[in-house]
Amino acid sequence: MVSCRHTALEVLPVRKRTLRCRHCHLTLGGGGFGDDYSPECYDRSGERRYEFDELEALDDGVAKYRCEECGAIITSS
Ligand SMILES: [Zn+2]
Ligand SMILES: [Zn+2]
C-alpha cells in the first residue's frame, strides 16, 4: 500500500441527468427511467405523458475529488 495523505486534491464536477416534464415541469432524477411517464401529470389528469426535456445539471449534493499525487478518487457528501 502506498501511503498518501491526499493533500493535492482536484475537484471533479459531478453531473447528473435530469428529465423535466414539458407539461407540469416536474423533474425526475436519479436514473432508472426510460419509458416512464410523468407521475404528476398522471395524478392530475390520469394521462400518461412522455414528453420530457433532458437537462444536465451539476450535482451539488456530491463532491468528488481526485488526488493529484496518487490518482485516488475521493467522494464526500
Ligand atoms: Zn493521494
Ligand atoms: Zn408532467
Side-chain angles (χ1 to χ4, degrees):
M1 285 289 279
V2 182
S3 74
C4 175
R5 284 182 290 149
H6 309 314
T7 48
L9 296 181
E10 177 192 358
V11 180
L12 302 174
V14 179
R15 291 179 193 282
K16 62 177 176 185
R17 198 166 140 265
T18 313
L19 294 184
R20 187 180 61 197
C21 178
R22 288 185 185 174
H23 299 276
C24 67
H25 298 143
L26 175 80
T27 54
L28 303 173
F33 44 85
D35 35 41
D36 279 353
Y37 54 86
S38 166
E40 183 73 23
C41 285
Y42 189 67
D43 273 0
R44 286 190 199 176
S45 61
E47 288 183 63
R48 296 176 190 206
R49 300 191 192 274
Y50 297 88
E51 295 88 32
F52 292 100
D53 286 323
E54 244 184 69
L55 309 173
E56 200 164 82
L58 286 178
D59 194 340
D60 42 2
V62 186
K64 266 192 177 182
Y65 303 90
R66 185 175 60 211
C67 177
E68 288 176 355
E69 306 280 329
C70 69
I73 304 290
I74 296 146
T75 310
S76 75
S77 53

